[in-house]
């Protein structure tokens, strides 16, 4: 990619991140183009679909989430690693209004631009869960699909104004349901 095209791409992503943070996944492509001071055709040249735009926006965050799983896996006991990573996942889902729905639908659709990233997050979460289950610190009747669903659901729920004040409590309840023994108070940091 030429230097000027790369600069335009980075600028479009930065503006899209701001607009999506404000309006969630329902942000208008026209609004993004207008705020970036480019024509809609320019935006569509870089991101031909909404899903392609969201893949670019979310890919960095999803890769970071996968990396945090790898780091937690090698530096923390299994139950603690699982809860720590789960908290990061909930915070990520909460970061953009509507991302839970995007991830849930992409998880089922191999043709989705977000499928590979969601599959990676699902896989690393399942690996952390299996590790905790092998040690006996996580429920044996859960699987990676359950963990992914709980992460998505809790991320969505704490984004709702009626439940936001209870985010820490709700996180602790879910973490307590995942683990065979309740997490310590150290794990009650803010979502």
């Amino acid at each position: 990619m030429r230097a000027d095209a790369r600069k335009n791409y980075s600028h479009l992503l930065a503006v899209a991140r701001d607009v999506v943070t404000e309006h969630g996944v329902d942000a208008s492509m026209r609004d993004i183009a207008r705020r970036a001071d480019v024509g809609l055709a320019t935006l569509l040249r870089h991101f031909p679909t909404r899903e392609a735009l969201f893949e670019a926006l979310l890919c960095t965050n999803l890769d970071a989430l996968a990396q945090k799983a790898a780091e937690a896996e090698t530096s923390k006991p299994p139950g603690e690693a699982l809860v720590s990573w789960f908290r990061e996942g909930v915070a990520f889902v909460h970061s953009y209004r509507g991302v839970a729905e995007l991830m849930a639908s992409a998880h089922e659709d191999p043709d989705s631009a977000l499928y590979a990233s969601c599959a990676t997050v699902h896989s690393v979460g399942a690996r952390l869960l299996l590790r905790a289950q092998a040690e006996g610190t996580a429920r044996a009747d859960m699987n990676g699909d359950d963990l992914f669903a709980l992460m998505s659901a809790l991320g969505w729920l704490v984004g709702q104004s009626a439940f936001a004040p209870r985010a820490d409590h709700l996180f602790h309840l879910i973490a307590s349901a995942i683990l065979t023994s309740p997490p310590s108070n150290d794990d009650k940091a803010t979502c």
Side-chain angles (χ1 to χ4, degrees):
M1 186 179 292
R2 294 184 340 250
D4 60 331
R6 173 51 89 188
K7 184 178 175 185
N8 285 343
Y9 180 87
S10 296
H11 174 67
L12 289 170
L13 271 181
V15 170
R17 186 168 285 113
D18 291 344
V19 173
V20 171
T21 298
E22 287 176 31
H23 301 285
V25 297
D26 294 327
S28 157
M29 295 287 274
R30 288 187 188 285
D31 191 31
I32 293 168
R34 190 175 14 253
R35 296 249 311 252
D37 203 23
V38 299
L40 183 59
T42 300
L43 178 63
L44 293 174
R45 252 192 319 279
H46 289 281
F47 308 104
T49 64
R50 292 177 61 74
E51 198 169 55
L53 174 64
F54 279 96
E55 178 189 27
L57 280 174
L58 302 179
C59 188
T60 302
N61 296 33
L62 290 170
D63 290 347
L65 192 56
Q67 180 60 36
K68 287 178 183 184
E71 291 166 6
E73 195 170 23
T74 60
S75 66
K76 296 179 179 181
E80 185 182 332
L82 176 61
V83 170
S84 172
W85 178 83
F86 186 74
R87 180 176 295 286
E88 294 284 343
V90 168
F92 164 69
V93 171
H94 175 69
S95 66
Y96 294 120
R97 192 173 67 245
V99 78
E101 293 89 346
L102 277 178
M103 288 175 61
S105 64
H107 177 68
E108 296 281 316
D109 181 7
D111 295 327
S112 166
L114 293 172
Y115 179 79
S117 297
C118 288
T120 298
V121 169
H122 180 281
S123 175
V124 298
R127 192 174 67 231
L128 288 172
L129 177 62
L130 285 170
R131 185 170 165 251
Q133 287 170 328
E135 186 189 63
T137 56
R139 296 171 62 129
D141 62 344
M142 284 186 69
N143 64 27
D145 288 335
D146 299 328
L147 188 67
F148 190 79
L150 288 170
M151 180 177 69
S152 298
L154 188 55
W156 173 83
L157 189 65
V158 300
Q160 307 308 303
S161 60
F163 298 105
R166 300 184 51 79
D168 287 336
H169 176 70
L170 294 169
F171 179 86
H172 190 68
L173 284 174
I174 298 297
S176 294
I178 293 169
L179 298 178
T180 55
S181 61
S184 70
N185 285 338
D186 294 344
D187 292 328
K188 288 184 82 173
T190 304
C191 279

